[in-house]
Amino acid sequence: MSSSARRDPSIKEVALVAGVSHMTVSRVMNDYPGIKPETRQRVLDVVEQMGYRPNMVARSLATQRTKRIGVLVESAVEFGESDMVRAIETAARAVGYSVTSVAVRDNDMSPQDAIAHLTSQGVDALCVVAPRSSSVAALRQITVSVPVLVVKSDKDPTFLTVSADQQQGTNLVVDHLAGLGHRDILHIAGPLDWLDARGRERAFHARVKSWGMRERAIVIGDWTADFGYDFSRTITKVPEYTAIFAANDDMALGVIHGLHDNGISVPKDMSVVGFDDLPTSRHFLPPLTTVRQDFRALGAKVMDVLRAALENREIPQRSKIATELIVRQSTAQPRHLS
């Protein structure tokens, strides 16, 4: 018989070689707790050697699960959202799940239509990457029969939530600038309908107040480098404030460009900090001090929470992933201390 026609091994054959019951093989493949580590490893070794692949149709009929997660993402062209989806896909594959995703952009599909499409695929659970408060409000109007998790930064009594710790990241920025001697910081926020932007703005106000800094009005941007550039081009002379905290790296890039064109040096005359740690941030001139969000850890946490919900295990309503300040050359002591 040719190798191309060779029959795939069955679960009973795997069990025979591994010296266990076929139920034990099934439990290992479904990652059930309570199996001895040496037994689990022996089964996995035999599975690998024999090239066994579970019959997904039979599994879904037996368990009434498809091992598929539906992901609805708004504005998937944004760095954070697209990176989040990739991280969820990677984490899902690692635990034997697949992902079906739908991107909702302006006016092309409603959240209701997107969720109806995903649930028609027989998904076991839904993850919604919804950066705007209006998206979450729309989601509340939809009845879904599977567990729902929303990737967003604030508390929510309705949904499970997972997010990077926006407050911690913002505190790290303000504390870093305060440690350098800055006492007057301008914040350029993102659109305040965006939950991360609002979380960073609120955390900024609270942290500068705790330091006794001057509390000046924020500037509300639109996330783009063009906004940062256009705003900073209006700064025709060195202002009273000595640092700018932009709510994302793109706006920070535009700020640095506009300040340079106006003859204001970064960081000699003005320190600039961003948020996100874009892959290009280390190549800005000067390289950008920013906050890194660990999207891989976020994706893994999303899958941990959803699997716990599907298995009726106890789980926190809200989970947060730590952020990290990446200090580069765009920040320094304020000009009066230099």
Side-chain angles (χ1 to χ4, degrees):
M1 183 181 292
S2 68
S3 61
S4 62
R6 200 168 73 191
R7 180 178 58 83
D8 290 336
S10 70
I11 189 171
K12 290 184 178 180
E13 289 169 332
V14 172
L16 181 64
V17 174
V20 299
S21 71
H22 74 275
M23 286 300 297
T24 297
V25 176
S26 176
R27 287 171 179 151
V28 169
M29 298 306 293
N30 285 284
D31 201 23
Y32 275 68
I35 299 173
K36 293 180 180 179
E38 58 269 24
T39 301
R40 183 184 300 276
Q41 190 57 54
R42 185 165 74 251
V43 170
L44 291 175
D45 289 343
V46 173
V47 165
E48 181 67 25
Q49 292 163 11
M50 297 182 69
Y52 171 69
R53 294 294 179 266
N55 185 321
M56 298 306 293
V57 173
R59 172 186 282 178
S60 63
L61 288 172
T63 64
Q64 296 186 325
R65 292 185 186 170
T66 61
K67 301 283 281 188
R68 183 183 299 121
I69 302 298
V71 177
L72 184 156
V73 57
E74 184 180 7
S75 303
V77 296
E78 297 290 338
F79 164 73
E81 286 69 53
S82 60
D83 218 56
M84 182 77 254
V85 174
R86 287 195 298 270
I88 293 170
E89 290 171 343
T90 299
R93 284 196 301 270
V95 293
Y97 279 75
S98 62
V99 169
T100 299
S101 62
V102 174
V104 177
R105 299 181 179 88
D106 292 340
N107 300 320
D108 69 345
M109 182 185 289
S110 70
Q112 292 90 339
D113 289 340
I115 289 176
H117 172 75
L118 289 170
T119 53
S120 72
Q121 307 299 305
V123 297
D124 294 334
L126 282 172
C127 171
V128 181
V129 184
R132 301 183 186 184
S133 56
S134 53
S135 305
V136 178
L139 187 60
R140 295 190 203 286
Q141 309 304 314
I142 305 170
T143 301
V144 182
S145 61
V146 298
V148 178
L149 179 151
V150 181
V151 179
K152 70 187 193 77
S153 55
D154 56 351
K155 294 180 181 179
D156 196 297
T158 307
F159 308 112
L160 297 167
T161 64
V162 172
S163 70
D165 193 332
Q166 305 298 323
Q167 180 177 6
Q168 179 203 31
T170 301
N171 289 349
L172 290 171
V173 170
V174 176
D175 292 353
H176 168 66
L177 292 171
L180 291 171
H182 295 273
R183 292 297 181 270
D184 194 348
I185 306 168
L186 176 70
H187 180 43
I188 302 179
L192 295 184
D193 182 45
W194 290 61
L195 298 168
D196 285 351
R198 192 168 64 196
R200 293 167 200 173
E201 180 260 342
R202 288 174 176 171
F204 174 78
H205 281 304
R207 201 62 168 184
V208 298
K209 185 175 182 179
S210 73
W211 276 98
M213 295 183 184
R214 175 174 177 175
E215 296 185 63
R216 61 171 62 245
I218 65 167
V219 174
I220 300 175
D222 65 3
W223 295 129
T224 67
D226 285 341
F227 180 91
Y229 178 80
D230 291 342
F231 169 76
S232 59
R233 283 290 281 165
T234 67
I235 305 172
T236 56
K237 63 180 181 179
V238 177
E240 292 182 354
Y241 51 86
T242 59
I244 294 175
F245 167 37
N248 74 336
D249 287 358
D250 279 330
M251 290 194 296
L253 171 61
V255 165
I256 292 172
H257 185 188
L259 291 174
H260 173 271
D261 285 359
N262 278 359
I264 298 173
S265 174
V266 175
K268 181 181 177 182
D269 298 321
M270 182 76 66
S271 287
V272 177
V273 185
F275 204 110
D276 280 336
D277 194 28
L278 292 175
T280 53
S281 295
R282 64 176 63 92
H283 302 297
F284 289 8
L285 290 177
L288 184 67
T289 294
T290 185
V291 175
R292 178 177 295 164
Q293 303 183 82
D294 188 341
F295 290 109
R296 180 177 298 180
L298 270 170
K301 179 59 71 174
V302 165
M303 286 308 303
D304 286 346
V305 170
L306 286 178
R307 290 176 69 204
L310 288 167
E311 295 166 12
N312 295 315
R313 290 187 274 121
E314 187 174 346
I315 190 168
Q317 187 79 10
R318 184 187 190 194
S319 301
K320 292 190 288 187
I321 301 298
T323 51
E324 179 185 4
L325 182 70
I326 307 299
V327 179
R328 299 194 180 102
Q329 286 75 54
S330 67
T331 52
Q333 288 185 326
R335 48 192 174 263
H336 63 273
L337 296 179
S338 301

